[in-house]
């Protein structure tokens, strides 16, 4: 018999069917190939199932993320969720493609001033470069007091946008770090 | 054999979100069908095919539903799918035995057996099954055969936010559907009816394992008013079957040599 | 909502809509934008509830509703005001509820003048400052503390009133007959919002309007409740906050707040947009709706606390929350002697919201910009101006999954394609960092019902992808190192003293998100044990808490946000699924679900009630009230802070415990919602001489031109923008996915057959749409779902534009936001993108799209700016970068 990858020549089910006299193939138990016979849901083979939440709109549907060999093999609705009872909309149902798709870039890219192409640079180097630019821009554009002597303690030369797609913990660190650097123009989609 | 399973798609509960289309593509890892703007309401999928196994039809009508208390317009949605017919044209015409009736009563194309001959395509009275260009084989809804094996609900029915797609034992679904029609009649929607719920309703297919509740003529939803499995059209069914069997044997031989290792 | 009820968040949750007897969805296309939440609306419909959808378009929501009411985009206040009038004139309000739980009986000061008296302007307009002096709006004989100036009232898509001074009505009339009581003022204010007026303003036939009004009234009262559902179809207007206020007034009059099946369901659009206002990535707020200090007023901690601590109501607790936050941020460095290092906080001098940042940027004042999980080159209004801003930066950091338009503005944008701008002339240095997905990091989202839900890390991020948590943490570490030798300078002390010691875990040494949640929850400083909730917080430095409203989410060291007890094992409120702020209360103001004596209004609508035996509030939900405070409790005159809350004050965050039909303080553009036309309209304001909201924010710049206020011959059509089910916002999470892209593969416009006929447009073919800001090309979808409205005998055509596409991704198309100008609501700085004017013509007429940033698009006509404001309103002071608005809290920027 063949395995289900078809790596050896199969015995055609139709012949088996004839042999068993099941002419109209009404019974899969005789007509099924070995692949068919061993068919099972891939989620069953998962190493673990991880509780999650849909990342699209704000309804917050429950998701279950199935992981096998440290790879996501399926994402579907969490039936236990009172928010969604296991349902997902088309976007939620596409989450698997969102997080595993080939569209995702996994390198840090750098476009130098007046450059026409991206250049790959190491993550650590990029982090150093950004930190250095934040410091320089902050130092060069510090506002200590307004014209009436009121304290400002800030820089208006650096701004931030984003947050509504991020975690609370991330927003918290963003607000904490940027405020303490004197960056006040911290904004997100809530206003857009 | 397990109890026969199927879908009852209640179009009066559909909101046209297409979650079923995507959940199906996700579970079955299906490719896209191209990016074409159809200009037909919000329907850019247009029809079922080799890589689209759920398709939501969008019908803009210049008449209101009886449940709408105002207006002269309505927009109907209906999620179409393989009907898993009791008399399945595709299955009856398949010369390789690739198409089988499963223990759940569904009609399943075995991709490791299909040789892409295409007989099934012309034999489906609904135009459901089709070949995928890139691999040549015929594909259609499997009723999530793999999921059913593990007692999981098919992906489309699970995702459906409004329970327009209901999955279950056929007997129960039919009973429930009947009640639902009565309920809608009572609520002032006399036009509600079941499409393909039984052999009586639809002799040509002897009933559908995936049947529908509709509120307008089948044609409005791009469903045939009187679908008939081709073999039913032949007066002497036995003769036809014999011919088919001979064809199957021939085709099977061909498949061994030309079918290739595609699974 | 914050100003009406006390908190900005949705007052209920979608699952409770199954208990509604009528659901009015307006300013939201719920079935399309929140399909799974719509599950509950469908269930309500099946149970017999009446579903009404009020929307310019017949959408998938309308298709399954019982009633679709087509409305002219931008006219909702006229419609809702009509309902208010209907309720009052026909005495359909819930009298016992209104008298006890709202400020309807409050008597207003003698100096107050209504828009009825002043042709569309309230008393107190200061022509020189270009803003209202709001003192005359106050309750009679109550002095709003003047030194505080105007406080921030709301923030972001949702908001929170920060402070109201010791405001409790001195005089009331429970018969509601006194001519100066709120109820009578309300009655007069809406007296002209008749069904006829609604018809000629909104294009809604009288009989249809009456159907809606009657359905609402019939389904409210002791035995029945109705809910309102809205989304950005209400917020994105120059009077957006007042749209929501109108619904708040209706719900208070009908007695629908705090009750099962009642409330106002605000549907947010992003996974954690509620979270990003609660823990704000917003300029004007600190976590938990504590205001950012203002340079001119909040000079030291004592002043800041004095101005923000309410002598009455829950905000009397303010110092505990602020000092606990400072303690969380600065640890041991924060002491009583140094005012807990309040002096580390930067201060505000005006409106520093997104649009002002962009114009500053376009004029070269902003040098560096971080963009994380957002795509402003597509998703923000006046896209060309946004991109112009990006070109002036020294450096830009973009964090996303793939190279979105904002990351590639320097080589892939309409102005580059056209040749107006050359890549090599753009100086901006751009860093692209790949972001980790939610499946690759631990963390919590706060959803539209204020629920914090934890998502667990499933797999490690690929390659150099990292979470924002990791990025910010490591950036902070680097800056601490870079500044290590410069701590001689005071300005660098906050960097030195900021607590930043989160445990690093896993192979990537990422900061522990749970440790951050622990800090957000708060802890006692001595032993770092998590506090039980905000009631445990102190103002003596013994507790630290990052965000007081989230306090309790990590109670007892347990991550409450990760609770996943199946819904079938608990009641429909599912109190053991995740965690909801505040204090896991699922329906806010639920004290109002019981009558003044504490008994449920009816068996059918019971939720929370007073248990006489146990002497406490109990019920199905966590009481949103002081548990041991009985219905008969009345505070003494000397009471302060939360002690002032009486047993019949369901709205505990309000200074007087009442639902505010009339907002005596806290809003900038008036105590009652008033119909103003959009900045660009097809009609003259039928009610008042004042055409537009006098307080709106404008940006007078060549790259942000406005059309004439109405009847602009160049721009005869009304345009509205929206989302589709199949895509997400600016497309960053959908246009790159084949499964979604194939479902809506191209940008299109939706128009009626009548407009198609008028302009020679054909289904499936192309159209060019133009405003003074820019032009786009789209496919044409001709549909009966777009219905021209008859307004004063004139046919008004509306054009519908989804806004998901741009130049990149699997499916492409022009960006609708390139058409929209900067103009905004004064309370929350949210732009007006739901109603503006434009023109449409058949064919592809704009080879190389033009934008105002590169020159004029259409012929100049004489300015009719004066038609937007009455002479007595005059012109607002103009400041840097063309920003024109009221003299803000702190003067102008």
């Amino acid at each position: 018999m063949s395995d289900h990858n078809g790596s050896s020549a199969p015995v055609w089910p139709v012949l088996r069917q004839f042999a068993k006299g099941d002419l109209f193939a009404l019974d899969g138990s005789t007509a099924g190939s070995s692949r068919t016979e061993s068919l099972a849901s891939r989620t069953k083979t998962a190493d673990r199932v991880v509780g999650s939440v849909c990342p699209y709109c704000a309804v917050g549907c429950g998701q279950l993320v199935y992981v096998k060999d440290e790879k996501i093999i399926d994402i579907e609705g969490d039936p236990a969720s009172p928010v969604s009872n296991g349902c997902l909309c088309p976007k939620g149902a596409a989450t698997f493609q969102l997080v595993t798709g080939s569209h995702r870039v996994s390198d840090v890219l750098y476009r130098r001033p007046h450059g026409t192409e991206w250049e790959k640079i190491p993550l650590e180097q990029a982090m150093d470069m950004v930190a250095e630019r934040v410091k320089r821009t902050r130092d060069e554009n510090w506002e200590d007091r307004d014209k009436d002597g009121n304290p400002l303690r800030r820089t208006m030369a650096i701004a931030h946008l984003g947050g509504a797609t991020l975690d609370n913990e991330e927003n918290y660190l963003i607000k904490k770090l940027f405020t303490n650097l004197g960056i006040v123009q911290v904004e997100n989609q809530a206003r857009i | 054999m397990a109890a026969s399973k199927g879908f009852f798609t209640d179009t009066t509960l559909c909101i046209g979100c297409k979650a079923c289309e995507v959940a199906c593509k996700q579970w079955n890892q299906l490719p896209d069908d191209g990016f074409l703007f159809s200009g037909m309401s919000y329907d850019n999928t247009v029809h079922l095919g080799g890589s689209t196994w759920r398709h939501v039809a969008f019908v803009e009508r210049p008449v209101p539903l009886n449940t709408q208390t105002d207006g002269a317009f309505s927009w109907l949605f209906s999620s179409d799918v393989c009907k898993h017919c009791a008399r399945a044209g595709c299955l009856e015409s398949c010369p390789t035995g690739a198409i089988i009736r499963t223990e759940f009563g569904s009609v399943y194309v075995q991709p490791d057996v299909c040789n892409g001959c295409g007989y099934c395509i012309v034999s489906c009275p609904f135009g459901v099954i089709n070949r995928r260009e890139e691999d040549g084989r015929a594909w259609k809804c499997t009723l999530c055969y793999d999921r059913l094996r593990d007692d999981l609900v098919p992906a489309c029915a699970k995702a459906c936010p409004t329970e327009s797609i209901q999955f279950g034992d056929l007997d129960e679904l039919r009973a429930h559907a009947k009640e639902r029609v009565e309920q809608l009649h009572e609520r002032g929607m006399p036009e509600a009816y079941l499409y393909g719920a039984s052999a009586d309703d639809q002799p040509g297919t002897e009933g559908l394992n995936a049947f529908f509740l509709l509120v307008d003529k089948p044609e409005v939803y791009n469903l045939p008013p009187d679908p008939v499995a081709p073999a039913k059209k032949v007066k002497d069914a036995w003769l036809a079957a014999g011919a088919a069997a001979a064809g199957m044997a021939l085709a099977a031989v061909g498949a061994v040599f030309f079918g290739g290792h595609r699974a | 909502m914050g100003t009406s009820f006390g908190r900005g968040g949705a007052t209920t949750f979608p699952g409770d809509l199954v208990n509604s007897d009528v659901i009015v969805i307006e300013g939201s296309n719920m079935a399309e934008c929140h399909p799974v939440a719509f599950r509950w609306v469908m269930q309500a419909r099946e149970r017999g509830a009446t579903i009404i959808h009020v929307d310019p378009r017949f959408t998938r929501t309308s298709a399954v509703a019982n009633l679709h009411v087509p409305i002219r985009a931008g006219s909702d206040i006229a419609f809702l005001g009509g309902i208010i009038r209907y309720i009052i004139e026909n005495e359909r309000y819930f009298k016992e509820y209104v008298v006890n739980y709202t400020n309807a009986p409050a008597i207003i000061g003698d100096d107050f003048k209504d828009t009825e008296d002043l042709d569309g302007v309230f008393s107190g307009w200061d022509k020189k400052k270009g803003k209202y002096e709001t003192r005359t709006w106050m309750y009679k004989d109550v002095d709003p503390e003047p030194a505080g100036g105007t406080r921030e009232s709301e923030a972001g898509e949702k908001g929170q009133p920060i402070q109201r001074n010791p405001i409790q009505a001195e005089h009331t009339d429970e018969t509601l007959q006194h001519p100066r009581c709120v109820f009578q003022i309300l009655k007069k204010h809406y007296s002209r919002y008749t069904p006829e007026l609604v018809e000629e303003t909104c294009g809604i036939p009288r009989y249809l309007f009456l159907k809606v009004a009657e359905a609402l009234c019939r389904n409210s009262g002791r035995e029945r409740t109705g809910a309102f559902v809205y989304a950005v179809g209400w917020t994105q207007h120059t009077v957006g906050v007042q749209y929501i206020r109108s619904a708040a007034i209706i719900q208070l009059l009908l007695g629908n707040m705090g009750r099962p099946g009642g409330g106002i369901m605000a549907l947010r659009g992003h996974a954690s947009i509620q979270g990003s206002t609660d823990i704000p990535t917003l300029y004007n707020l600190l976590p938990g709706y504590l205001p950012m200090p203002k340079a001119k007023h909040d000079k030291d901690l004592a002043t800041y606390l004095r101005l923000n601590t309410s002598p009455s109501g829950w905000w009397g607790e303010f110092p505990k929350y602020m000092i606990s936050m400072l303690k969380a941020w600065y640890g041991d460095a924060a002491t009583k002697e140094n005012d807990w290092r309040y002096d580390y906080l930067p201060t505000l001098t005006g409106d520093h919201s997104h649009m002002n940042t962009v114009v500053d940027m376009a004029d070269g004042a902003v040098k560096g910009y971080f963009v994380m999980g957002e795509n402003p080159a597509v998703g923000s209004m006046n896209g060309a101006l946004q991109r112009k801003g990006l070109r002036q930066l020294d450096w830009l950091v973009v964090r996303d999954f793939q190279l979105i338009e904002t990351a590639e503005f320097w080589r892939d944008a309409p102005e580059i394609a056209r040749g107006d701008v050359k890549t090599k002339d753009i100086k901006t240095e751009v860093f692209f960092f790949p972001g980790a997905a939610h499946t690759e990091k631990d963390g919590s989202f706060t959803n539209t019902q204020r629920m914090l839900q934890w998502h667990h890390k499933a797999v490690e991020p690929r390659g150099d992808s990292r979470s924002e948590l990791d990025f910010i943490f490591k950036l902070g570490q680097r800056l601490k190192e870079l500044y290590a030798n410069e701590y001689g300078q005071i300005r660098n002390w906050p960097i030195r003293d900021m607590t930043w010691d989160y445990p690093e875990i896993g192979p990537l040494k990422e900061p522990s998100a749970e440790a951050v949640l622990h800090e957000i929850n708060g802890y006692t400083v001595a032993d770092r044990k998590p506090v039980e909730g905000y009631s445990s917080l102190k103002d003596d430095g013994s507790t630290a808490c990052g965000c007081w409203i989230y306090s309790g989410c990590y109670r007892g060291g347990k991550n409450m946000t990760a609770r996943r007890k199946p819904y079938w094992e608990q009641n429909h409120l599912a109190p053991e699924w995740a965690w909801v702020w505040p204090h896991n209360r699922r329906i806010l103001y639920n004290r109002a679900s019981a009558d003044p004596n504490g008994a449920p209004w009816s068996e059918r609508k019971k939720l929370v009630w007073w248990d006489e035996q146990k002497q406490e509030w109990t019920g199905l939900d966590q009481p949103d009230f002081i548990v041991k405070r009985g219905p008969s409790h009345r505070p003494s005159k000397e009471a302060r802070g939360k002690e002032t809350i009486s047993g019949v004050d369901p709205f505990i965050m309000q200074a007087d415990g009442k639902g505010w039909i009339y907002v005596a303080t806290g809003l900038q553009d008036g105590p009652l919602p008033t119909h103003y036309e959009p900045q660009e309209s097809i009609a003259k304001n039928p009610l008042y001489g004042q055409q537009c909201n006098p307080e709106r924010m404008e940006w007078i710049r060549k790259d942000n031109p406005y059309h004439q206020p109405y009847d602009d011959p160049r721009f005869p059509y009304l345009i509205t923008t929206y989302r589709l089910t199949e895509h997400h916002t600016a497309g960053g999470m959908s246009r790159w996915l084949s499964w979604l892209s194939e479902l809506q593969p191209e940008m299109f416009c939706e128009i009626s057959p009548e407009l198609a006929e008028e302009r020679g447009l054909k289904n499936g073919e192309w159209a060019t749409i133009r405003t003074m800001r820019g032009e786009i090309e789209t496919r044409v979808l001709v549909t009966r779902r777009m219905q021209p409205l008859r307004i004063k005998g004139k046919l008004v055509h509306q054009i519908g534009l989804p806004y998901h596409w741009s130049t990149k991704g699997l499916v492409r198309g022009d960006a609708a936001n390139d058409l929209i100008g900067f103009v905004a609501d004064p309370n929350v700085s949210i732009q007006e993108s739901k109603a503006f004017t434009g023109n449409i013509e058949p064919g592809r007429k704009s080879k190389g799209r033009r934008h105002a940033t590169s020159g004029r698009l259409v012929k100049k006509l004489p300015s009719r700016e004066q038609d937007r404001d009455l002479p007595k309103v005059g012109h607002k002071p103009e400041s840097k970068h063309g920003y024109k608005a009221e003299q803000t809290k702190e003067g102008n920027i």
Side-chain angles (χ1 to χ4, degrees), chain A residues 1-114:
Chain A
M1 288 293 286
S2 67
D3 65 32
H4 66 272
N5 290 323
S7 57
S8 57
V11 174
W12 285 99
V14 71
L15 301 178
R16 278 191 286 140
Q17 240 174 288
F18 276 126
K20 290 195 180 184
D22 179 19
L23 191 60
F24 289 103
L26 290 174
D27 181 358
S29 65
T30 59
S33 69
S34 58
R35 176 191 177 279
T36 301
E37 279 165 15
S38 61
L39 206 59
S41 61
R42 67 177 175 279
T43 43
K44 203 164 190 192
T45 66
D47 300 326
R48 60 179 183 275
V49 185
V50 179
S52 196
V53 183
C54 181
Y56 283 95
C57 85
V59 172
C61 298
Q63 292 187 333
L64 294 176
V65 181
Y66 293 84
V67 181
K68 185 179 164 67
D69 300 333
E70 299 309 315
K71 287 200 171 65
I72 295 171
I73 56 167
D74 187 45
I75 298 177
E76 50 188 89
D78 181 352
S81 167
V83 171
S84 52
N85 295 185
C87 304
L88 291 174
C89 78
K91 291 190 285 282
T95 306
F96 175 85
Q97 199 175 44
L98 174 76
V99 301
T100 65
S102 56
H103 62 285
R104 285 186 63 185
V105 174
S106 54
D107 297 308
V108 176
L109 300 173
Y110 174 66
R111 186 255 176 183
R112 61 183 69 234
H114 308 288

Side-chain angles (χ1 to χ4, degrees), chain C residues 219-340:
Chain C
N219 289 298
S220 302
R222 279 177 183 270
E223 295 287 338
R224 305 179 79 76
T225 51
F228 267 88
V229 176
Y230 79 89
V232 296
W234 271 2
T235 55
Q236 294 181 355
H237 292 279
T238 42
V239 269
V241 168
Q242 299 283 11
Y243 274 44
I244 301 151
R245 280 269 307 130
S246 311
I249 293 171
I250 292 172
Q251 290 298 65
L252 286 171
L253 287 174
L254 294 174
N256 279 326
M257 297 309 302
R259 303 178 61 202
I264 298 181
M265 187 64 233
L267 290 170
R268 317 288 177 201
H270 306 256
S272 201
I273 200 155
Q274 180 71 50
S276 64
T277 27
D278 300 337
I279 295 179
T281 29
L282 293 173
Y283 84 90
N284 54 335
L285 293 172
L286 292 165
Y289 302 96
L290 310 177
M292 280 285 283
K294 318 287 184 299
K296 211 178 268 180
H297 298 301
D298 303 319
K299 291 189 175 106
D300 51 46
L301 181 68
T303 315
Y304 172 83
L305 292 180
R306 185 173 59 79
L307 292 178
N308 287 292
T309 307
S310 175
S312 60
W314 201 272
W315 280 108
E317 304 285 287
F318 186 90
K320 299 177 181 174
Y321 309 147
M322 184 64 190
I323 290 166
S324 292
M325 194 210 83
L326 292 169
K327 199 65 193 163
W329 280 20
Y330 305 120
D332 293 341
T335 64
K336 190 170 173 34
E337 291 65 42
N338 64 22
D339 274 354
W340 317 105

Side-chain angles (χ1 to χ4, degrees), chain C residues 713-724:
Chain C
R714 300 163 301 177
F715 304 106
Y717 305 116
L718 194 52
I719 302 179
T720 188
T721 63
Y722 45 88
R723 290 184 185 182
L724 301 166

Side-chain angles (χ1 to χ4, degrees), chain C residues 358-608:
Chain C
V358 171
V359 291
D360 285 7
M361 205 181 283
D363 293 345
V366 178
K367 310 289 180 194
Y369 199 30
F370 289 95
V371 178
M372 304 188 191
E374 188 153 354
N375 193 4
V378 180
S380 298
M381 43 288 146
N382 200 342
L385 180 52
Q386 304 268 349
R387 296 187 292 270
K388 180 179 171 185
L390 298 175
R391 292 197 294 273
Q392 311 307 318
L393 292 166
D394 287 346
W395 52 269
L396 168 69
V397 173
V398 176
R399 295 185 47 84
D400 216 293
F401 289 157
Q402 68 278 322
L403 294 169
I404 53 171
E405 286 81 358
T406 302
E408 296 218 306
F409 73 93
W410 47 274
R411 68 170 183 186
D412 196 351
E415 45 281 339
I416 307 262
R418 188 180 152 79
D420 291 342
V421 179
K422 291 193 172 48
T423 295
K424 62 176 175 28
D425 294 337
I426 299 172
K427 62 170 180 173
T428 317
E429 216 180 1
V430 187
F431 296 87
F432 175 83
F433 289 88
H438 72 300
T439 47
E440 295 154 3
K441 60 189 182 188
D442 293 326
S444 63
F445 291 141
T446 304
N447 79 353
T448 197
Q449 67 199 67
R450 299 169 279 105
M451 181 190 278
L452 285 74
Q453 297 189 101
W454 194 261
H455 55 82
H456 297 271
K457 183 187 216 174
V459 293
E460 294 293 333
R462 291 187 290 198
D464 287 339
S465 305
R466 293 291 182 275
S467 67
E468 274 65 31
L469 197 74
D470 187 71
F471 174 79
I472 284 289
F473 177 65
K474 288 172 183 165
L475 182 63
Q477 283 182 324
R478 278 175 167 77
L479 284 159
K480 275 181 177 264
E481 273 169 40
L482 283 176
Y483 276 104
N485 298 322
E486 298 179 33
Y487 289 142
Q489 279 179 293
I490 292 174
R491 67 159 83 153
N492 300 333
W493 289 5
I495 303 169
R496 179 191 66 191
D497 291 340
M498 175 182 71
T499 57
W500 208 248
D501 49 359
Y502 307 102
E504 295 166 46
I505 56 172
L508 300 173
K509 297 250 177 274
E510 296 168 294
S512 157
E514 203 155 319
V516 178
L517 189 70
H518 171 259
E519 178 175 323
I520 289 170
N521 174 84
Y523 53 86
T524 43
V525 172
D527 55 10
R528 292 190 70 89
K529 268 204 182 130
V531 295
E532 289 294 296
Y534 54 73
S535 308
S536 312
L537 299 177
K538 303 276 191 321
D539 59 5
D540 60 3
S542 64
T543 58
C545 176
C547 178
W548 74 275
I549 58 171
Y550 281 6
S551 191
C553 69
Y554 201 73
R555 202 168 66 208
K558 182 178 173 189
N559 187 345
M560 307 292 279
T561 73
R563 294 187 300 171
R564 285 191 167 78
K565 185 172 179 176
Y567 72 88
W568 54 80
E569 292 173 18
Q570 37 185 338
N571 74 24
H572 93 286
L573 298 151
E576 292 175 71
W577 181 274
W579 188 85
V580 165
W581 76 265
H583 263 314
N584 211 28
R585 294 164 196 167
R586 308 275 155 153
I587 294 179
L588 296 180
Y589 324 115
N590 54 31
R591 159 69 184 89
S593 70
D595 66 18
N597 297 324
W601 289 108
S602 65
E603 182 61 24
R604 186 164 179 256
K605 297 287 174 181
K606 71 175 180 190
L607 182 61
V608 162

